[in-house]
Amino acid sequence: MKGMDHEEMSGMEHMAHMGNLKQKFLVSLLLAIPIILLSPMMGLELPFQITFKGSDWLVLLLGTILFFYGGKPFLSGAKMELKAHSPAMMTLIALGISVSYFYSVYAFISNHFLPNQPHVMDFFWELATLIVIMLLGHWIEMRAISNAGDALKKMAELLPNEATIIDSTSLKTKQIPLSEVAIGDLLQVKAGEKIPADGIVEAGTTSINEAMVTGEAKSVKKQVKDKVIGGSVNGEGTITISVTGTGESGYLAQVMALVGSAKEEKSAVESLSDRVAKWLFYVALSVGILAFVSWLFITKEINTPLERMVTVLVIACPHALGLAVPLVTARSTSLGAKNGLLIRNKNALESAKKVDVILMDKTGTLTEGDFSVTAIESFKSDYSRLDILKIAGALEQKSSHPLATGILKRVEEEKVKLPTASEVQAIPGVGLSGTINHQNIKIVTASYLMKQKGAFDQEQFNQLAGEGNSVSYLMIEETVIGLIAQGDKIKENASQFIKELLDRGIQPVMLTGDNQAAAKIVADKVGIQTFYANLLPEEKEKMVARYQQKEKTVMMLGDGVNDAPSLAKADVGIAIGAGTDIAIDSADVILVKSDPLDTLHFLSLAKNTTRKMIENLWWGAGYNIIAIPLAAGILAPIGVVLSPAVGSVLMSLSTVVVAFNALLLKIDH
Ligand SMILES: Nc1ncnc2c1ncn2[C@@H]1O[C@H](COP(=O)(O)OP(=O)(O)OP(=O)(O)O)[C@@H](O)[C@H]1O
Ligand SMILES: [Cu+]
Ligand SMILES: [Mg+2]
């Protein structure tokens, strides 16, 4: 658990740390059976019940053990809530069982040692059933939550998990599964990639955000001989590391951290159920006291008033409420997992139903990000086209950008041998810089050249970009020597995706780092009206903020290093599964199949999930609107009195309804 202060834990979370709920439940059940057999329920002698001389002493003993042993999670949960000044579910349960218990002890004393008093009915039967049912409920709940964690884990395992290993003699790079990374291996880590294992920097400089690992959200500069931590995310530079440790920092540990962070997030609806529980607590307490005082006036004795009060507290005890939200969340998470949605932050489910704008990235999100080179030009007679490809390829070899992959494909086809580039750094939203043969090399965009007042052929650019190409310029020592143009394919489902968004009244907006002309072609083809091109990563983030300032709930859909800040900033950030690690780390939801259409499934799941949660809150707590007044004896004048026994049945019934209702959750296709 990272950075969680004890004080901050709610009573519920506290329960999770109370150890083995299953064992507590089973032992309590064993204790409860004799109590149920030996003590009359509400004074009614049921056929299976037996009493013998002194059996009430046994009931007192067992009841006391049960109260302190089985009731402990609730009692200490309540203590936690009261310490935090937010009495809620645990306090209510604790109050219910404490009143039942102490009242029963009072009944026992009165019946045994105060001979001239009328018989006082005890509540041991109710105490026993209450504790057992409550432990069962919480045990199921904990299981549901950890099952959801397992489903997440399976999903997360589907995400890319490879490392780039460098052969120490041939210096060739190769992708290997993370599980095969060994101590002493030389690994290449590109900009925006996750550091695969603990290691020491052997070449290159970069800055690394170690927040995931250390909790400190600050980029740390790294150079040769510095240590890097597995699981942290590499910044703008490409580095070579030698592995010093795997295991703890290995892939599985990272997956567990991902799942852990998903579980730790408190959903907004979950806190709604806490709010309901808090309300219920105050209502039950005041109605209970009110009933006590009123009945004291009416009957002028103490037994009936006390009974009424205990009944109110017992009936308000919200064990279905405790299941209402977690069961839906668990079902929703596993349903999402089956449909290729890895939900890291459950708050996203809540925010998603209000989304009115979806900002989306172009390359890799609406397009395949599968570039192929359409033109290579040289502007200087000293360099052939192949030289341009060679020099660019040397730099691109150390980049994970989709454009890099396109260029390297061409390098492979042409079978050119690449020189070695060092100190390769990504220039976000612009390209790359590095050194080859002590010469300063850059790969940049046209808009960068324009800003820098660098000379280039504007007409030629317009022509290439107008055909839908992304154009990269190669510079040596600040002089443009050539260009490489690349075309991409639009994803098969992209137009359908946009159409369905419009049908739902959600505005699609495209944000891209690519040039205006290439952006326009894609926007026109998929049916997007509003788009912004030539955006730097921080400008994308500003666009998110701008829409948010207009009171819009913003969803961001992206895949690249340049999308990470906006994914984190948006109300709901959705990353393409095939995207970079940094985008995945910044998002709330990951589309494992990388199909933008899955965003719609997420929207539908989110809508259905929140609806089910609200329904369940009604089934789990709303029934109290009727039950509490009845328990208080409001209809006693016409002979309707709710006994705690009937109350217990009602409560169990509401748990069944809540569980069943959660199972009915669906994704609309
Ligand atoms: N590794 C690279 N090689 C060549 N050009 C690059 C590289 N990285 C960035 N660029 C240039 O910078 C531009 C912006 O890059 P950025 O990653 O911000 O957006 P993008 O991937 O093109 O588009 P989108 O924002 O839609 O994903 C690219 O269009 C390209 O011209
Ligand atoms: Cu209950
Ligand atoms: Mg992209």
Side-chain angles (χ1 to χ4, degrees):
M1 292 221 105
K2 56 164 189 247
M4 197 185 266
D5 189 0
H6 220 57
E7 293 291 308
E8 279 173 49
M9 284 202 292
S10 75
M12 195 61 221
E13 280 157 55
H14 175 76
M15 287 263 332
H17 301 276
M18 277 310 295
N20 201 334
L21 276 175
K22 180 180 173 184
Q23 182 191 332
K24 262 209 153 52
F25 162 71
L26 291 174
V27 173
S28 299
L29 184 63
L30 282 181
L31 287 168
I33 289 170
I35 299 179
I36 292 168
L37 291 178
L38 292 174
S39 68
M41 175 189 83
M42 272 306 290
L44 300 171
E45 301 259 359
L46 296 178
F48 58 80
Q49 267 162 346
I50 28 168
T51 45
F52 48 85
K53 195 164 166 358
S55 66
D56 46 354
W57 283 90
L58 188 57
V59 169
L60 176 69
L61 179 71
L62 291 175
T64 304
I65 298 174
L66 184 61
F67 175 69
F68 287 106
Y69 171 78
K72 185 157 184 267
F74 308 106
L75 295 173
S76 45
K79 209 167 104 192
M80 210 70 100
E81 285 178 354
L82 290 175
K83 238 195 209 155
H85 303 290
S86 65
M89 201 133 74
M90 290 294 137
T91 315
L92 206 51
I93 298 173
L95 204 63
I97 60 175
S98 301
V99 172
S100 311
Y101 174 70
F102 289 109
Y103 180 70
S104 303
V105 173
Y106 154 75
F108 181 86
I109 293 169
S110 165
N111 294 341
H112 277 259
F113 304 106
L114 309 170
N116 295 327
Q117 296 285 318
H119 182 84
V120 180
M121 207 168 45
D122 68 49
F123 275 99
F124 279 120
W125 194 95
E126 283 73 21
L127 177 72
T129 48
L130 217 61
I131 288 183
V132 168
I133 291 176
M134 220 70 75
L135 283 173
L136 177 65
H138 285 100
W139 170 41
I140 293 176
E141 182 178 337
M142 288 307 147
R143 259 194 34 173
I145 293 175
S146 69
N147 283 348
D150 289 347
L152 279 179
K153 204 177 121 195
K154 281 209 198 80
M155 272 280 95
E157 278 163 4
L158 295 179
L159 293 173
N161 59 339
E162 292 190 320
T164 311
I165 189 166
I166 306 175
D167 189 296
S168 51
T169 47
S170 72
L171 293 181
K172 279 217 168 102
T173 59
K174 195 172 84 185
Q175 297 293 112
I176 59 165
L178 253 181
S179 52
E180 285 173 20
V181 169
I183 292 179
D185 281 355
L186 278 184
L187 302 179
Q188 186 182 70
V189 190
K190 297 168 185 166
E193 283 185 346
K194 201 171 266 188
I195 311 281
D198 292 350
I200 291 178
V201 179
E202 294 288 337
T205 58
T206 189
S207 62
I208 294 183
N209 185 344
E210 296 182 336
M212 254 275 288
V213 188
T214 60
E216 197 176 332
K218 212 178 80 203
S219 281
V220 193
K221 284 248 173 290
K222 299 281 177 183
Q223 52 193 23
V224 174
K225 296 247 178 311
D226 282 347
K227 277 191 192 141
V228 293
I229 311 174
S232 56
V233 176
N234 187 16
E236 68 290 334
T238 300
I239 50 170
T240 304
I241 64 166
S242 72
V243 176
T244 55
T246 52
E248 265 301 281
S249 51
Y251 180 64
L252 198 67
Q254 287 173 31
V255 166
M256 291 319 287
L258 193 74
V259 171
S261 74
K263 278 203 282 185
E264 255 171 49
E265 290 291 348
K266 267 209 118 189
S267 139
V269 189
E270 216 150 31
S271 59
L272 176 62
S273 83
D274 274 349
R275 277 210 304 279
V276 172
K278 191 180 266 185
W279 266 96
L280 210 51
F281 170 79
Y282 288 116
V283 170
L285 195 64
S286 26
V287 174
I289 291 170
L290 193 73
F292 178 79
V293 175
S294 320
W295 285 101
L296 201 61
F297 267 103
I298 298 166
T299 61
K300 308 233 175 339
E301 49 97 24
I302 193 149
N303 290 342
T304 314
L306 261 179
E307 263 169 47
R308 287 278 84 83
M309 183 169 81
V310 172
T311 313
V312 169
L313 292 178
V314 162
I315 211 159
C317 161
H319 63 244
L321 185 58
L323 287 172
V325 170
L327 279 182
V328 177
T329 318
R331 171 87 185 138
S332 167
T333 323
S334 64
L335 206 60
K338 278 192 202 116
N339 286 272
L341 300 165
L342 178 59
I343 301 168
R344 292 183 62 211
N345 177 355
K346 281 178 261 142
N347 285 324
L349 284 167
E350 166 78 348
S351 320
K353 69 171 202 281
K354 292 176 289 192
V355 165
D356 26 31
V357 186
I358 299 191
L359 305 180
M360 60 194 94
D361 157 75
K362 176 179 76 74
T363 313
T365 300
L366 290 172
T367 68
E368 297 283 358
D370 184 14
F371 284 99
S372 41
V373 174
T374 51
I376 303 177
E377 300 290 343
S378 169
F379 306 141
K380 296 271 182 277
S381 50
D382 323 357
Y383 298 96
S384 70
R385 286 186 180 170
L386 223 50
D387 289 332
I388 301 293
L389 181 65
K390 219 187 240 176
I391 300 168
L395 248 60
E396 297 291 12
Q397 206 181 18
K398 308 206 165 168
S399 165
S400 57
H401 198 278
L403 284 167
T405 321
I407 291 177
L408 291 174
K409 254 189 347 210
R410 186 57 169 264
V411 165
E412 195 109 309
E413 283 160 19
E414 304 273 349
K415 297 204 170 47
V416 287
K417 212 168 160 322
L418 297 176
T420 339
S422 57
E423 289 149 36
V424 177
Q425 304 264 318
I427 316 172
V430 173
L432 295 171
S433 73
T435 310
I436 299 175
N437 280 338
H438 308 290
Q439 277 185 311
N440 186 354
I441 315 282
K442 272 196 188 127
I443 298 176
V444 299
T445 58
S447 72
Y448 173 87
L449 287 176
M450 263 180 297
K451 267 184 233 158
Q452 303 291 312
K453 309 235 172 355
F456 71 106
D457 185 344
Q458 185 83 49
E459 218 155 279
Q460 181 189 35
F461 170 77
N462 290 346
Q463 159 102 35
L464 286 168
E467 288 162 5
N469 288 302
S470 303
V471 187
S472 310
Y473 288 89
L474 185 63
M475 294 168 91
I476 292 188
E477 300 293 352
E478 306 302 314
T479 314
V480 181
I481 60 157
L483 68 74
I484 299 181
Q486 300 190 68
D488 197 359
K489 281 188 294 291
I490 292 173
K491 278 188 190 173
E492 204 182 326
N493 287 334
S495 311
Q496 193 196 342
F497 171 55
I498 300 302
K499 188 176 162 298
E500 293 202 23
L501 284 181
L502 291 169
D503 286 349
R504 287 170 198 230
I506 299 173
Q507 189 195 359
V509 176
M510 190 172 86
L511 307 179
T512 179
D514 207 348
N515 68 63
Q516 179 81 15
K520 182 159 173 32
I521 288 178
V522 173
D524 286 349
K525 279 210 179 120
V526 300
I528 291 181
Q529 303 239 311
T530 322
F531 68 92
Y532 301 88
N534 291 320
L535 296 175
L536 298 175
E538 61 270 22
E539 290 170 331
K540 283 195 178 191
E541 187 188 353
K542 274 196 204 115
M543 289 302 299
V544 173
R546 226 172 80 189
Y547 277 98
Q548 281 171 335
Q549 273 157 16
K550 288 194 252 174
E551 304 287 301
K552 305 265 190 211
T553 304
V554 178
M555 182 183 265
M556 170 76 198
L557 184 58
D559 71 320
V561 176
N562 61 340
D563 302 314
S566 10
L567 285 170
K569 174 93 185 167
D571 300 286
V572 184
I574 300 195
I576 299 288
T580 51
D581 294 332
I582 191 168
I584 285 173
D585 259 8
S586 316
D588 303 306
V589 181
I590 298 149
L591 307 182
V592 177
K593 290 182 284 184
S594 303
D595 181 352
L597 268 187
D598 281 339
T599 311
L600 299 170
H601 295 144
F602 174 71
L603 286 174
S604 134
L605 180 66
K607 198 174 97 206
N608 294 350
T609 301
T610 29
R611 200 183 58 221
K612 275 271 177 280
M613 282 176 177
I614 305 287
E615 273 172 27
N616 264 4
L617 288 177
W618 279 104
W619 287 117
Y623 76 96
N624 283 301
I625 294 176
I626 298 166
I628 289 180
L630 279 182
I634 205 160
L635 290 183
I638 60 164
V640 181
V641 185
L642 217 53
S643 68
V646 174
S648 304
V649 172
L650 260 179
M651 279 198 305
S652 318
L653 212 63
S654 101
T655 310
V656 173
V657 173
V658 159
F660 193 69
N661 193 36
L663 280 181
L664 293 179
L665 179 67
K666 281 197 307 248
I667 290 190
D668 312 319
H669 281 277

